[in-house]
Amino acid sequence: MNHKTYAGIPEEFAKLEQAKIVLIPVPYDGTSTWQKGADKGPQAFLEASENMELYDIETDTEVYQQGVFLADSVTENASPEAMVEAVHQATKKYIKKNKFVTVFGGEHSISIGTIRAFNEMYPSLTVLHIDAHADLRQSYEGSTCNHACAVYEASQNTNLIQVGIRSMDIMEKTVMDEEKTYFANDMAVDDTWMDSAIDQMTNNVFITFDLDAFDPSILPSTGTPEPGGLLWYETLEFLKQVFEEKNVLGFDIVELCPNSKEKSSDFLAAKLYYKMLSYKFMKEDAEDEYDNAFQKPEQKKEHFKIY
């Protein structure tokens, strides 16, 4: 990728040593099963970010001044398993450097690696999975690292909260914890879902955000669009509340499948990423140190009951 800095920010805010935030692009589309093109997502996202205003009205901040380092892309594609391990190692490397680590895909299989890294580094992890699809298959098309398996591992060893689900295979019900799953059809008529979901989270939260969680009326450029999705302001309201009430450790955003004739989806993805950073750092001065407090080896991890 030919981007010198994230969103074209000045070099002084883009150096690894000073930056609190790391952005890892993962242009991978090895296991998608319908529309191809998610490997072009990071490039389209970065191009849209360069055309975005960097002052956030809602939080009255310019979060880029916290420092955003644009890491080298993870380009491993020998196999889904090799890609997941490369993402896992890259994510873990920057957590250990005391950074707020973010990842932009690529299709959802990349999240197996990001979640694995955060789960190894932090105790009592909640994974907040915002998506149209359950992604709970143990394996699919011969691989446990398929996009349809994106949060199966998380369902077994983290506190998995799923939001926006409206498409799944019946076999996934045997894995799913329905008390921690917020289906889109229920969310449409029940305005208590945000508080309920947050109440079920532990303090440490990692967010994996599949862009097909959004309704295709506002984000059509994704590999597997589903009707009946989230809209912009309700999504921001929920995310802001999560960032305010919980310790969000990092996040990934996946499944932007850019269309040369439709650029609004790219821009929405860029704004979503920047909004999430703005919520994370809205109460911090740029001069404040960032302490990610990752897990020390002697700490014991909490095991979550799987229903």
Side-chain angles (χ1 to χ4, degrees), residues 12-239:
E12 63 183 293
F13 300 113
K15 295 177 181 177
L16 177 61
E17 295 73 18
Q18 288 82 30
K20 297 179 186 178
I21 300 152
V22 167
L23 167 59
I24 307 172
V26 187
Y28 180 78
D29 194 24
T31 76
S32 59
T33 47
W34 188 23
Q35 298 183 87
K36 292 287 187 179
D39 56 325
K40 307 296 192 301
Q43 178 78 11
F45 157 76
L46 288 169
E47 288 176 0
S49 298
E50 290 181 352
N51 293 284
M52 181 179 63
E53 302 281 8
L54 296 178
Y55 168 68
D56 182 67
I57 297 170
E58 181 186 8
T59 59
D60 189 27
T61 62
E62 294 178 292
V63 70
Y64 77 90
Q65 295 185 4
Q66 304 284 347
V68 184
F69 174 72
L70 179 58
D72 291 338
S73 299
V74 175
T75 57
E76 175 62 63
N77 63 2
S79 69
E81 292 75 18
M83 177 278 299
V84 164
E85 181 57 20
V87 172
H88 169 226
Q89 293 300 333
T91 304
K92 200 167 179 179
K93 177 177 76 172
Y94 288 112
I95 294 173
K96 288 181 175 180
K97 291 182 181 293
N98 200 48
K99 305 300 181 182
F100 183 76
V101 182
T102 64
V103 181
F104 198 97
E107 38 113 313
H108 212 163
S109 57
I110 72 158
S111 301
I112 300 170
T114 59
I115 293 168
R116 188 178 295 169
F118 278 90
N119 194 38
E120 288 175 356
M121 300 300 289
Y122 295 95
S124 304
L125 183 70
T126 287
V127 172
L128 171 57
H129 172 220
I130 304 174
D131 199 333
H133 305 90
D135 290 348
L136 286 170
R137 289 172 169 88
Q138 186 171 0
S139 71
Y140 191 67
E141 296 190 337
S143 176
T144 59
C145 295
N146 188 282
H147 73 104
C149 314
V151 295
Y152 174 80
E153 187 175 305
S155 77
Q156 301 301 295
N157 54 28
T158 76
N159 179 43
L160 178 65
I161 310 291
Q162 299 188 276
V163 169
I165 307 302
R166 54 195 189 275
S167 179
M168 60 186 287
D169 186 87
I170 193 168
M171 291 300 294
E172 292 175 282
K173 290 184 70 174
T174 64
V175 177
M176 177 178 281
D177 182 349
E178 293 192 42
E179 291 187 3
K180 295 180 179 179
T181 303
Y182 295 85
F183 295 102
N185 60 297
D186 294 326
M187 293 161 57
V189 296
D190 180 6
D191 59 5
T192 67
W193 69 267
M194 295 187 193
D195 289 336
S196 175
I198 291 170
D199 286 346
Q200 297 201 76
M201 297 176 192
T202 56
N203 187 53
N204 287 340
V205 176
F206 175 82
I207 302 172
T208 180
F209 199 117
D210 187 324
L211 291 167
D212 67 27
F214 284 114
D215 192 81
S217 65
I218 67 167
L219 194 145
S221 296
T222 187
T224 315
E226 290 281 348
L230 291 164
L231 298 177
W232 180 245
Y233 284 110
E234 66 180 326
T235 303
L236 293 188
E237 179 185 354
F238 177 54
L239 289 171

Side-chain angles (χ1 to χ4, degrees), residues 273-290:
Y273 177 84
Y274 202 70
K275 272 288 189 184
M276 292 172 75
L277 292 185
S278 298
Y279 292 151
K280 173 64 181 178
F281 291 96
M282 63 183 173
K283 296 180 181 177
E284 292 190 26
D285 292 330
E287 295 76 21
D288 295 342
E289 290 188 8
Y290 175 65

